[in-house]
Amino acid sequence: MPVTHSVPVSHQAPLHTVRKHERDEPVIILQESASEDEPRVYVHYVNLEKRNDEWVPKSLLQPMPSTSTSNGAVPSKKRKRSSSKRPSASASRSYSALSDEDSLEGRDSNGKPAEEVVMTEEEYDLQHHKKINTRRNFAQVCVGEWLIKTWYFSPYPLTENEDAESSIASQEKAISAVNRIPGVYRITNRSHGRTSDMLAGGMGRLVEKEILYVCEMCFKYMTDAPTWELHKKHCTVSHPPGRKVYQRGAHTIWEVDGAREKLYCQNLSLFGKLFIDIKTLFFDCDNFLFYILTDATRNNDHMLGFFSKEKVSYDDYNLACIITLPPFQRKGFGRLMIEFSYELSRRVGKAGTPERPLSDLGLRSYLAYWVSTLIRFFRKLLEVMPMSTGPNPVISRGTPPDFRSPSRELSSDEGSAYRRRKRNKGWQGEASEDEVIEDIDEKLASFRTFITTRNPDGSASVHLKVQCSLADIADATNLRVDDTAFALNEMGMLKRWGKLSGSDDEQPMVVLTREIVEKVAQERGVKDGSVLHLSHVKL
């Protein structure tokens, strides 16, 4: 029989509001600080993501309006996708909103008795982990030339100096037990692996005054600026310690083995946890590969973002976690890493998918990738003229052009002329040849039916009809069937149902037209090509 725990679980209702984003947002107070002239509180915004939690002056708190519901619940303003796909996140957030004293006494913030809930050992550890991660332990991180506001808690272990300071301070006055783990007095290799619940720097100090200093090359961390400046002068790391697997211009993706570069990968994981909430961080990185995207300067390769994946995933996950540094977001770097992760799955003959659950930003990024992949596939599938025919119009002499073969190739003269016209430049100005445009494969070509009708003026009109299954679409795009269905539903393409005319099959099916595809592409802002260029992959 599995080990279970009976613990009191209470839901804390918001009692105050704070003005944010030009509207009153209900908040839950997680911590109070009265050590300064003006008392302040650390609040969680009920209708906003956890990364918006912050310290605010207590004077900004306003009581909840009387129009609230009787039980204090506040209707969520989040998108339906976020609330429906992550029902357990809000519940667990309510669990972790309780203070330590309330949980021990078995009551909630209103003084009502807490409900007894039986949890398994795994569920108990998960709730304990979420409770510790309720508040950020560093307000900002200084990396390279950037001073970035952190989003979430990261279990950076205490250094020897901080541990000694805590020991001296504990003799002078009482310090909360959450500042350090009992029995761990200095950092060793063994104790370092047990610090997943350690509060770096101590939550007894004010979060907004805490700055973490991280080397942008080796990701070693410090708590004071002079040590950080001294380290930068003597750091000999100029690029990630791995091999190049993709390079286009100044942008390179490096593959780093967690078993070979343990310290580097551990420091990288700790740094990434500052911007990732729902992933569990392990200090044992032996079973993971890290792919770091860098931007090259004259002497060094600076990280823009990274993602990790398991070496052996029985669920065929091609990505465990992904992060693009906030200064470099919304520039296509996240899309590049996502496309590269799917290229890794395609090369081993698997349909990959990211590890669940996905954060709100992760779901938004992956949905954009799935939508663009399907849109480009539908454009290619619902095209009478093969994509390799080049510019429009196609002129032939003597006989009409033959478009029946899906793998029709241009002559060398036509192809070279077309490439010269379309020769472009990369991100850093380097010239590169166009990617080879592939037509649909023979299997999908068998699903296509061309209908040619004669017009009164002697010309002819060609219409294309395609009939295939959802599994065929997923297989052609190298996506999971459930991911494909989710993206199609989000695009609204599963709403039009009908029956195929002139067929004995009476089973209803989804009807798509090229007009619907182009309308969705315009609404979603889908670009013509992908960010990843296969000719630059070095695998």
Side-chain angles (χ1 to χ4, degrees), residues 312-384:
V312 179
S313 176
Y314 296 101
D315 296 318
D316 292 339
Y317 290 139
N318 60 8
L319 186 142
C321 64
I322 182 173
I323 176 66
T324 303
L325 296 185
F328 309 109
Q329 293 179 355
R330 299 182 180 274
K331 296 182 179 180
F333 299 123
R335 173 66 65 86
L336 175 62
M337 291 187 288
I338 291 176
E339 291 183 0
F340 187 79
S341 67
Y342 273 92
E343 177 62 19
L344 294 176
S345 297
R346 187 189 68 83
R347 288 176 178 255
V348 296
K350 296 181 180 180
T353 189
E355 184 178 317
R356 268 54 169 191
L358 292 173
S359 63
D360 62 320
L361 297 179
L363 180 61
R364 190 184 309 169
S365 300
Y366 268 94
L367 179 59
Y369 168 73
W370 294 334
V371 168
S372 61
T373 300
L374 292 172
I375 289 297
R376 287 195 291 265
F377 170 73
F378 288 141
R379 281 175 171 172
K380 184 170 59 176
L381 190 65
L382 300 176
E383 182 75 34
V384 175

Side-chain angles (χ1 to χ4, degrees), residues 239-521:
H239 59 77
R243 61 166 182 159
K244 294 182 180 180
V245 293
Y246 179 86
Q247 185 175 16
R248 180 169 181 250
H251 296 143
T252 307
I253 297 180
W254 305 76
E255 182 185 72
V256 181
D257 191 343
R260 295 184 177 181
E261 305 293 339
K262 294 184 179 181
L263 182 60
Y264 178 88
C265 294
Q266 287 175 2
N267 293 335
L268 181 63
S269 300
L270 286 168
F271 177 77
K273 185 62 178 66
L274 293 171
F275 307 98
I276 303 176
D277 179 31
I278 57 178
K279 298 298 182 182
T280 303
L281 183 143
F282 294 96
F283 286 92
D284 185 8
C285 303
D286 293 358
N287 299 324
F288 288 87
L289 293 173
F290 293 81
Y291 295 88
I292 297 96
L293 174 63
T294 61
D295 183 23
T297 58
R298 183 175 182 179
N299 298 320
N300 300 321
D301 287 78
H302 305 273
M303 189 190 76
L304 305 175
F306 76 94
F307 73 92
S308 63
K309 66 181 295 289
E310 292 181 288
K311 295 179 180 178
V312 179
S313 176
Y314 296 101
D315 296 318
D316 292 339
Y317 290 139
N318 60 8
L319 186 142
C321 64
I322 182 173
I323 176 66
T324 303
L325 296 185
F328 309 109
Q329 293 179 355
R330 299 182 180 274
K331 296 182 179 180
F333 299 123
R335 173 66 65 86
L336 175 62
M337 291 187 288
I338 291 176
E339 291 183 0
F340 187 79
S341 67
Y342 273 92
E343 177 62 19
L344 294 176
S345 297
R346 187 189 68 83
R347 288 176 178 255
V348 296
K350 296 181 180 180
T353 189
E355 184 178 317
R356 268 54 169 191
L358 292 173
S359 63
D360 62 320
L361 297 179
L363 180 61
R364 190 184 309 169
S365 300
Y366 268 94
L367 179 59
Y369 168 73
W370 294 334
V371 168
S372 61
T373 300
L374 292 172
I375 289 297
R376 287 195 291 265
F377 170 73
F378 288 141
R379 281 175 171 172
K380 184 170 59 176
L381 190 65
L382 300 176
E383 182 75 34
V384 175
M385 297 172 57
M387 302 295 292
S388 59
T389 53
N392 188 35
V394 176
I395 301 175
S396 61
R397 297 180 180 179
T399 58
D402 184 12
F403 295 146
R404 292 176 298 176
S405 175
S407 60
R408 178 184 180 271
E409 299 180 356
L410 294 174
S411 63
S412 58
D413 295 338
E414 291 175 332
S416 60
Y418 176 62
R419 284 194 295 268
R420 282 196 298 270
R421 287 195 300 269
K422 293 296 181 179
R423 188 177 178 89
N424 56 9
K425 293 186 177 181
W427 289 344
Q428 296 295 327
E430 82 283 2
S432 61
E433 298 292 338
D434 273 0
E435 296 290 327
V436 178
I437 302 177
E438 298 180 356
D439 294 309
I440 61 176
D441 55 21
E442 297 289 347
K443 178 181 179 181
L444 288 181
S446 62
F447 299 146
R448 307 189 341 154
T449 302
F450 294 88
I451 303 175
T452 305
T453 57
R454 183 182 296 105
N455 297 328
D457 59 352
S459 61
S461 300
V462 181
H463 296 276
L464 179 63
K465 181 171 64 176
V466 182
Q467 184 178 0
C468 59
S469 64
L470 181 63
D472 296 327
I473 298 175
D475 182 65
T477 55
N478 199 38
L479 301 178
R480 286 278 190 93
V481 175
D482 52 346
D483 295 338
T484 304
F486 174 75
L488 291 175
N489 183 63
E490 289 293 319
M491 288 188 290
M493 291 186 173
L494 300 182
K495 298 180 180 179
R496 295 189 50 171
W497 291 80
K499 295 183 180 179
L500 188 62
S501 59
S503 175
D504 298 335
D505 189 3
E506 297 296 330
Q507 183 178 1
M509 59 186 64
V510 179
V511 178
L512 295 179
T513 62
R514 183 62 182 263
E515 290 76 11
I516 296 177
V517 173
E518 294 300 332
K519 180 180 178 181
V520 173

